[in-house]
Amino acid sequence: MLDVHASRTASSLQTGAAAGRWTIGDARKIYNLPFNDLLFRAQSVHRAHFDPNAIQMSRLLSIKTGGCAEDCGYCSQSAHYPTGLKASKLMEVERVVAEAQKAKDGGATRYCMGAAWRSPKERDMETIVAMVEGVKALGMETCMTLGMLTPTQSERLANAGLDYYNHNIDTSERFYSEVITTRTFADRLETLANVREAGIKVCAGGILGMGEAIDDRISMLVTLANLPAAPESVPINMLIPIPGSKLADQPPVDPIDFVRTIALARILMPQSHVRLSAGRTEMSDEMQAFCFFAGANSIFVGEMLLTADNPGEDHDSALFRRLGLKPMALQAVQPEPAE
Ligand code: SAM
Ligand code: DTB
Ligand code: SF4
């Protein structure tokens, strides 16, 4: 049995595997520790790098909704499934900036703009750049998720001042084609490399509850942790089952398995913000509390994610009060360079 107290030195416990590389075997052993040992270890790593009671708050906006050419089995916005979602065109810059101002007034420090695209079209780049500039001028961090990016598009966004780019690998390489067939796992990694090369911070994570095995979840986290530099932000979504989508009827995720996955993400990527992402409306306060204890330190705030519901301010402020949590201040948000 792995002795959590003796198997790694205090410093390797904080900084990850000695060479910054994890094997599936190592990760599996950690994942399968007795729950109390796993959570103690995750919380210890968390405290070594972050204020344990501060939670980064991001707000999402769908700047272009629905009608997407990709066939992601979980998504309300794919044109391949009869989800009943009404598609809309790219929003106007002024409206996006006005929404960002409201999010800032509500306490969000990062504004994430998402478009239902396989990749951005050249003709849309000018508008996208203006959105980044407009939101940045409010003093917020900017994040976008627009699908696949070329090196040139990545540089253009970097020059506009984009802070983060969200591009999830979603699951393991093995399971990927069960979820999406219109692009590959390798395509995802290529965009992540383009974004990193352009100097934009990386936000990459995945979804639990799509029918994947526990080992797929572990493998997904090992892939992320073993990137040349770990993502600065790691969103862990719990599937929101969308009626009409391919994954509409998946059984719910076991909450203990969910918390274990958050803990593993924290241990494998000690300096990253681990985001308790989609699916919080179906999580009890107790489950969320366990996730925060396991090292989650970022959430999406507000009534809506992109197209689905989110707990909203009243519920979240009550939860923060119950748990003694506070919003993470913007200056503290900038992580040190991830390993
Ligand atoms: N079109 C872009 C792309 O796919 O990269 C950006 C938008 S996409 C909606 C962003 C991420 O949201 C997906 O990669 C997926 O991880 C997550 N997501 C989408 N639908 C979800 C659902 N029903 N439940 C949980 N997570 C979901
Ligand atoms: C991420 O990992 N989760 C967010 C964000 N990145 C873009 C999106 C969640 C979407 C949930 C389903 C919806 O709102 O349509
Ligand atoms: Fe399109 Fe993104 Fe939805 Fe996939 S997840 S269908 S790429 S909007």
Side-chain angles (χ1 to χ4, degrees):
M1 198 183 98
L2 192 80
D3 176 346
V4 276
H5 303 294
S7 66
R8 288 181 194 280
T9 63
S11 80
S12 76
L13 186 130
Q14 288 164 15
T15 56
R21 292 289 169 270
W22 295 91
T23 66
I24 281 280
D26 271 343
R28 222 183 260 134
K29 274 188 202 143
I30 296 169
Y31 182 93
N32 287 316
L33 283 169
F35 193 67
N36 288 340
D37 292 342
L38 174 63
L39 260 63
F40 177 76
R41 180 160 167 187
Q43 177 67 200
S44 305
V45 170
H46 190 51
R47 278 169 187 265
H49 295 276
F50 290 100
D51 175 344
N53 301 308
I55 306 290
Q56 192 278 330
M57 304 205 310
S58 294
R59 173 88 205 221
L60 268 169
L61 176 70
S62 180
I63 57 170
K64 193 270 161 199
T65 305
C68 186
E70 303 275 33
D71 72 350
C72 311
Y74 47 76
C75 190
S76 63
Q77 307 198 67
S78 166
H80 295 254
Y81 309 111
T83 64
L85 187 77
K86 194 170 165 286
S88 60
K89 288 201 199 128
L90 184 59
M91 264 188 193
E92 283 171 10
V93 178
E94 295 69 31
R95 200 168 143 214
V96 172
V97 177
E99 291 296 325
Q101 179 66 56
K102 282 191 222 160
K104 187 183 177 189
D105 297 342
T109 56
R110 189 179 310 163
Y111 204 58
C112 305
M113 295 157 270
W117 286 328
R118 173 174 166 82
S119 54
K121 300 262 183 322
E122 217 23 62
R123 61 168 186 265
D124 294 318
M125 287 304 287
E126 212 178 299
T127 311
I128 292 296
V129 162
M131 287 176 187
V132 174
E133 290 169 348
V135 174
K136 250 198 114 61
L138 302 176
M140 296 183 88
E141 288 186 314
T142 51
C143 176
M144 286 202 150
T145 179
L146 313 169
M148 294 185 278
L149 292 187
T150 62
T152 313
Q153 289 173 326
S154 308
E155 270 164 39
R156 223 165 138 197
L157 291 173
N159 291 339
L162 184 69
D163 296 297
Y164 287 82
Y165 195 76
N166 167 246
H167 200 66
N168 291 340
I169 61 169
D170 280 337
T171 188
S172 67
E173 184 169 14
R174 182 198 75 87
F175 195 66
Y176 198 79
S177 60
E178 303 280 326
V179 179
I180 300 152
T181 68
T182 50
R183 55 168 195 256
T184 64
F185 195 75
D187 289 333
R188 283 318 252 192
L189 296 179
E190 193 178 322
T191 291
L192 290 177
N194 293 341
V195 166
R196 177 62 81 198
E197 180 64 28
I200 300 169
K201 294 189 195 86
V202 170
C203 172
I207 307 180
L208 310 194
M210 302 188 294
E212 73 286 349
I214 300 272
D215 235 33
D216 292 309
R217 299 173 188 168
I218 297 171
S219 167
M220 171 181 89
L221 294 180
V222 167
T223 298
L224 293 170
N226 285 348
L227 288 173
E232 282 81 0
S233 166
V234 181
I236 306 294
N237 298 278
M238 187 170 83
L239 179 73
I240 299 176
I242 305 290
S245 72
K246 184 168 131 185
L247 299 174
D249 300 318
Q250 286 300 315
V253 180
D254 177 316
I256 300 292
D257 289 343
F258 193 93
V259 175
R260 281 185 178 275
T261 308
I262 296 277
L264 183 62
R266 167 52 62 227
I267 293 165
L268 263 45
M269 292 170 274
Q271 303 187 47
S272 306
H273 286 83
V274 175
R275 182 177 298 139
L276 184 55
S277 222
R280 288 198 302 117
T281 52
E282 297 309 307
M283 296 178 196
S284 66
D285 283 2
E286 294 80 0
M287 178 174 169
Q288 294 187 60
F290 262 122
C291 289
F292 295 133
F293 189 72
N297 63 346
S298 171
I299 57 169
F300 285 117
V301 293
E303 309 284 330
M304 287 280 286
L305 294 163
L306 289 172
T307 70
D309 291 343
N310 198 45
E313 200 190 331
D314 290 353
H315 192 114
D316 281 341
S317 47
L319 178 63
F320 273 40
R321 261 196 312 279
R322 283 182 89 190
L323 300 178
L325 296 173
K326 59 187 180 223
M328 196 182 282
L330 189 57
Q331 12 353 332
V333 166
Q334 305 290 350
E336 300 156 33
E339 305 183 341

